[in-house]
Amino acid sequence: MDEYLAAAIAAARQGLSSGGIPIGSVLVIDGHIVARGHNQRVQKGSAILHAEMDCLQNAGRHTAQEYRRAVLYSTLSPCDMCSGAILLYGIPKVVIGENRSFQGPEGYLRTRGVELEILDDPGCAQMMQDFISANPTLWNEDIGV
């Protein structure tokens, strides 16, 4: 397994173990993980702390040139909000663990020049399916249903 996806999965498990939704993300610049994040909407009572947003917040400030060399890993396809942040900062590539449980605006990201690599990782998919089955109301809240 890709070491960066493994780090995103570890972040997702951290979120799950702290009572949240098991989605994790890491930001990689020049082959180094510069930040990790996990969905913390439940833990922090936040409307915006999806895994990707938490990861970007944890990354702190970076230059536009650094973001243009970055790869964002997420265990799940990024939603509209997170995709907007990807576009805002010019992150050129997103690696997605799986998009069966939820598919964000992947086509739109592609039309804006973002390279998407969808791994269809069975572990990511199983983790989400187990969570969704056990917590459908919380899941629907997270995705705005």
Side-chain angles (χ1 to χ4, degrees), residues 36-102:
R36 301 163 195 262
H38 59 273
N39 187 303
Q40 294 203 63
R41 289 188 67 250
V42 172
Q43 299 92 317
K44 293 193 175 178
S46 171
I48 62 169
L49 281 181
H50 282 185
E52 300 87 348
M53 301 298 279
D54 185 50
C55 181
L56 290 171
Q57 180 170 318
N58 292 337
R61 293 175 60 190
H62 288 278
T63 66
Q65 294 83 3
E66 288 172 310
Y67 282 118
R68 286 194 290 267
R69 297 193 314 268
V71 179
L72 184 69
Y73 284 73
S74 182
T75 58
L76 187 65
S77 182
C79 73
D80 289 307
M81 174 179 63
C82 298
S83 294
I86 290 162
L87 294 173
L88 178 67
Y89 291 106
I91 298 170
K93 183 175 180 178
V94 179
V95 178
I96 298 168
E98 68 104 350
N99 66 356
R100 288 185 261 161
S101 303
F102 175 82

Side-chain angles (χ1 to χ4, degrees), residues 21-43:
I21 299 166
I23 304 168
S25 182
V26 297
L27 183 67
V28 177
I29 300 176
D30 299 332
H32 301 285
I33 295 175
V34 298
R36 301 163 195 262
H38 59 273
N39 187 303
Q40 294 203 63
R41 289 188 67 250
V42 172
Q43 299 92 317

Side-chain angles (χ1 to χ4, degrees), residues 77 83 96 103-114 116 118:
S77 182
S83 294
I96 298 168
Q103 186 172 18
E106 294 174 5
Y108 181 65
L109 284 172
R110 285 186 178 105
T111 66
R112 296 287 306 272
V114 178
L116 300 182
I118 300 161

